[in-house]
Amino acid sequence: MSSHSHADHSAPAGDPTFTARKRSTIEVLRRVWKYLLPYKLLALATVGCAVLSLLCALTYPKLTEYIIDGIIQKDGGIQRLKWAVLAMAGAFLLRDLFNSLRIRINNHFEQNVIFDMRREVFGKLQRLPVNYFDKRSSGDLMTRVVEDINNVERVLIDGTEQGTVAILCIGGISGILFYTNPFLAAVALSPLPLLAAGALWYTLTAHRRYRRQREAASAMNALLMDDLQGIRQIKAYGRQDHEDARFADRANALRKGNLGIMRAWANYNPAMNFFAALGIVLVLWFGGQEVMADNMTTGELVGFLFYLMLFYEPVARLHGLNQMLQSARAAGERVFDILDHDIERDEARKTELSEPVKGEVIYKDVGFEYEPARPILKNISLHAKPGEMIALVGPTGAGKSTLVNLLPAFYEISSGHVTIDGQSVGDTSLASLRQHIAIVSQEPFLFNGTIRENIQYGKLDAIEDELIAAAKAANCHEFITALPEGYDARVGERGVKLSVGEKQRVSVARALLADAPLLILDEATASVDTATERLIQEALEHLMEGRTSFVIAHRLSTIRKANQILVLKNGEIIERGTHETLLEQNGLYAKLARIQNTTFIEESFEKLEE
């Protein structure tokens, strides 16, 4: 999803990375229902307060009827009017007190459920395979965790409470209307078929609009995150206008998606309100005639009209809930796409590496492909003895990174097997496996926290002395203590406040603190000065000491002491041996050594192929 890899400005309509498998409304509701179960008491209390608030509101029409017919028209006296008005005020006060209590309980209920859902989705994300993230943008996943969960939660909480109360209200008031005046009740409810038809139309057509809108929101957020992370590249190449145009297209797609929803709602909601108002108009017409014919009193007609308004209020609320439900269905599909994805590995694999781990690594006839029929690695066999350094060289795309990524099982091998001390990596629990492997990447990632927190990530319970010893061995203690806040200095997002060399040394300190017997090192010192390169090399030598190390080498100077050098090309090992033996063979590595000086090995391969 790189913001710099597309020349066009089109928003990715239908981009499969933003879509999710379609699910029925029933399936979404069934899935979200389980989040209510731990909070049954809060749910019942919320609904209970809403019902009590409703019951207090239902006294209002009857009291109005009594005041008009029993007091005003019969001149019942100021005293009776005073008590009746006080009773009405008391009913309103109780209605609003119960409503206030409902809102407070509902807020606790709502936040607990959102917390649970976010924790579950985030926990699942942590356990998904690396290739899941290879195919999706961070902005899209953030949209699912933040916005989509909010949309699902709204129908979960508000839908449960408001829907339950609305249905009880409609049922109860229908009974009161038919008990009060069956003829007028039938007249009042005659527009219901029109309301039902409108609701059916909206339900059948809304999902497509909400789905498009959620995808557009994800696409915009994905580009936004991409551009924020690549802001230096955007400025360096003067591409502000280009990115502005791209963002405008994504934002415009979201605008159109929102307008599509609003346009449908602008037709649907007023139409439903009009149909509901027809019931009131018809009651005034027929009820007015009944009053003039002395078949009912003015107070009874007014009381009936108030009940009718109370009837159509929850009907309108159900229409609003229907809108919310369609939004939640589209959002729920995207959330459940994460929850339903297969985790990295079957958790039944409980085998742990035998302690102490010596670090003997064997690849035997290993093959790997990201996609069927497109092999990346072919028949890879190697044997690394404990404490040996294995260097991997080869042109870009030869499969070097893929080869080392199979060791911590970031990807599962397609054929053959990998063992550590004779134990199959494929049968070993991921926690045990990765606990014994430290990784220093070419572009070290630092979290947006302090230097202390970033180093301590290698061993969370490390004491101060261990942390400082690791920093000294990594040649970063000196520059850290020179900072005003020392180890508590914040590094900024992705370590932006530190130089490349400083970030590299902090990441080496983190790996040293982890003290793992196996090391994967994507060595890169090309973008630092000679003095910094020497400090990094010295830190790396401390790190590799006594550990089985796999080094993706970018300079020949770093691998002369390697126990084995593997030359990869097109996913196969074409040469292997020590620096001296490979020079004697006078093959590709020897040719490489003759032209390689300060350039990257990858660049030297390109020169040889020219």
Side-chain angles (χ1 to χ4, degrees):
M1 287 300 138
S2 172
S3 60
H4 315 292
S5 59
H6 302 280
D8 65 275
H9 294 162
S10 59
D15 188 328
T17 59
F18 299 117
T19 58
R21 180 174 70 80
K22 286 188 178 181
R23 290 170 167 83
S24 67
T25 304
I26 297 298
E27 183 185 351
V28 171
L29 288 175
R30 179 180 56 78
R31 292 284 300 272
V32 300
W33 183 257
K34 71 168 190 169
Y35 293 99
L36 268 67
L37 298 180
Y39 306 106
K40 289 190 284 285
L41 291 178
L42 284 176
L44 288 171
T46 302
V47 173
C49 287
V51 170
L52 289 170
S53 179
L54 171 65
L55 290 175
C56 293
L58 289 178
T59 61
Y60 164 59
K62 211 65 187 170
L63 280 169
T64 304
E65 179 186 329
Y66 170 68
I67 288 170
I68 293 173
D69 287 345
I71 300 176
I72 296 173
Q73 292 196 347
K74 293 185 178 178
D75 194 17
I78 293 294
Q79 198 67 15
R80 285 177 66 193
L81 180 61
K82 180 182 78 175
W83 285 112
V85 169
L86 283 173
M88 186 179 285
F92 282 144
L93 178 63
L94 284 173
R95 178 196 67 181
D96 293 331
L97 283 174
F98 282 124
N99 199 37
S100 173
L101 188 59
R102 174 194 67 80
I103 291 169
R104 296 175 83 164
I105 296 171
N106 194 51
N107 287 343
H108 280 285
F109 185 21
E110 184 177 276
Q111 293 307 313
N112 286 346
V113 169
I114 287 181
F115 175 76
D116 289 350
M117 288 188 77
R118 286 224 173 98
R119 278 289 300 275
E120 184 173 352
V121 173
F122 182 78
K124 184 61 182 277
L125 280 172
Q126 299 294 299
R127 287 157 183 79
L128 292 178
V130 172
N131 62 8
Y132 179 87
F133 301 95
D134 292 342
K135 298 171 185 174
R136 288 163 180 82
S137 75
S138 302
D140 172 49
L141 294 176
M142 281 191 66
T143 304
R144 296 185 189 215
V145 174
V146 180
E147 295 179 21
D148 289 332
I149 284 178
N150 276 347
N151 281 342
V152 172
E153 173 274 329
R154 281 181 65 213
V155 75
L156 188 83
I157 306 297
D158 296 339
T160 302
E161 177 226 336
Q162 293 183 28
T164 303
V165 173
I167 291 167
L168 290 172
C169 188
I170 289 168
I173 295 175
S174 296
I176 293 171
L177 290 175
F178 278 100
Y179 177 78
T180 304
N181 192 315
F183 169 68
L184 276 186
V187 168
L189 303 187
S190 59
L192 279 182
L194 294 173
L195 291 167
L200 182 64
W201 167 81
Y202 187 81
T203 302
L204 293 175
T205 60
H207 179 249
R208 183 182 67 254
R209 291 187 291 273
Y210 279 106
R211 192 179 173 90
R212 194 181 301 131
Q213 184 254 2
R214 296 313 308 148
E215 289 171 9
S218 261
M220 187 189 78
N221 289 343
L223 180 63
L224 174 62
M225 174 167 278
D226 218 14
D227 281 5
L228 290 175
Q229 290 177 343
I231 191 68
R232 284 167 180 76
Q233 283 72 30
I234 292 169
K235 288 180 179 295
Y237 287 97
R239 294 290 182 261
Q240 290 92 331
D241 291 343
H242 173 80
E243 293 304 322
D244 186 44
R246 293 184 68 212
F247 185 81
D249 281 343
R250 301 278 176 103
N252 191 44
L254 180 57
R255 180 184 69 87
K256 287 179 179 176
N258 285 327
L259 281 175
I261 291 168
M262 292 170 182
R263 198 159 38 241
W265 182 247
N267 294 330
Y268 173 63
N269 193 43
M272 296 299 97
N273 288 338
F274 175 73
F275 294 149
L278 280 181
I280 295 171
V281 170
L282 290 171
V283 166
L284 277 170
W285 170 250
F286 289 104
Q289 294 180 58
E290 291 289 291
V291 171
M292 288 189 285
D294 288 332
N295 292 332
M296 71 185 301
T297 67
T298 304
E300 286 173 341
L301 178 59
V302 171
F304 190 92
L305 282 168
F306 280 145
Y307 275 124
L308 188 57
M309 289 175 187
L310 286 174
F311 173 84
Y312 277 116
E313 183 189 332
V315 169
R317 201 179 306 143
L318 284 180
H319 292 314
L321 286 175
N322 187 24
Q323 183 199 31
M324 199 186 298
L325 178 62
Q326 300 314 312
S327 172
R329 178 185 167 194
E333 289 173 344
R334 290 159 49 78
V335 173
F336 297 136
D337 244 30
I338 294 174
L339 292 175
D340 291 345
H341 200 282
D342 293 334
I343 59 172
E344 271 190 293
R345 179 180 284 181
D346 183 5
E347 290 186 341
R349 301 183 196 183
K350 301 292 185 186
T351 307
E352 297 196 350
L353 290 176
S354 301
E355 299 281 358
V357 174
K358 300 184 188 71
E360 181 184 38
V361 176
I362 296 174
Y363 281 60
K364 186 168 177 59
D365 299 325
V366 170
F368 175 77
E369 50 191 33
Y370 290 107
E371 295 173 15
R374 293 185 62 186
I376 304 297
L377 296 177
K378 293 166 272 189
N379 300 316
I380 297 292
S381 293
L382 66 90
H383 183 184
K385 294 174 183 173
E388 281 192 342
M389 172 187 174
I390 309 298
L392 307 174
V393 299
T396 302
K400 304 184 296 293
S401 295
T402 302
L403 189 151
V404 295
N405 281 334
L406 297 181
L407 190 60
F410 288 153
Y411 303 99
E412 297 290 340
I413 61 174
S414 305
S415 61
H417 64 266
V418 180
T419 62
I420 297 173
D421 293 353
Q423 292 182 234
S424 172
V425 164
D427 297 330
T428 307
S429 82
L430 292 174
S432 173
L433 180 64
R434 292 171 184 170
Q435 177 189 341
H436 294 93
I437 301 172
I439 300 173
V440 178
S441 56
Q442 181 178 350
E443 296 179 9
F445 182 91
L446 298 187
F447 294 94
N448 190 1
T450 65
I451 293 176
R452 181 189 307 280
E453 288 167 344
N454 273 284
I455 296 177
Q456 214 160 15
Y457 210 76
K459 183 183 177 185
L460 295 176
D461 59 351
I463 60 173
E464 188 76 5
D465 288 348
E466 290 177 303
L467 188 135
I468 291 172
K472 284 179 176 176
N475 285 336
C476 59
H477 177 71
E478 194 173 318
F479 90 77
I480 294 171
T481 51
L483 296 169
E485 294 168 291
Y487 281 86
D488 294 316
R490 303 194 72 81
V491 300
E493 191 172 20
R494 303 177 73 89
V496 70
K497 293 182 180 179
L498 303 182
S499 71
V500 174
E502 288 168 346
K503 283 194 288 187
Q504 189 74 284
R505 282 176 280 160
V506 168
S507 70
V508 170
R510 180 166 60 198
L512 277 163
L513 194 61
D515 195 25
L518 294 161
L519 173 67
I520 293 173
L521 178 62
D522 195 346
E523 176 271 327
T525 53
S527 52
V528 297
D529 57 65
T530 309
T532 305
E533 182 182 350
R534 194 162 51 248
L535 287 171
I536 293 173
Q537 287 296 348
E538 194 177 303
L540 294 175
E541 284 170 16
H542 286 148
L543 180 58
M544 289 188 282
E545 198 174 317
R547 293 179 172 86
T548 306
S549 306
F550 288 83
V551 180
I552 297 176
H554 299 278
R555 290 183 186 277
L556 286 185
S557 58
T558 63
I559 58 170
R560 292 178 187 275
K561 298 176 185 175
N563 299 94
Q564 288 184 61
I565 298 171
L566 307 180
V567 183
L568 275 79
K569 189 175 181 183
N570 298 326
E572 295 181 279
I573 298 173
I574 59 170
E575 293 178 21
R576 73 175 78 211
T578 62
H579 177 70
E580 289 74 19
T581 57
L582 287 175
L583 288 178
E584 288 171 10
Q585 288 176 20
N586 202 28
L588 183 61
Y589 181 85
K591 292 176 185 174
L592 192 68
R594 282 196 286 271
I595 66 167
Q596 230 264 331
N597 41 55
T598 58
T599 58
F600 268 171
I601 287 175
E602 287 85 351
E603 293 172 13
S604 300
F605 269 108
E606 289 171 12
K607 288 178 184 176
L608 285 173
E609 289 172 356
E610 283 174 0

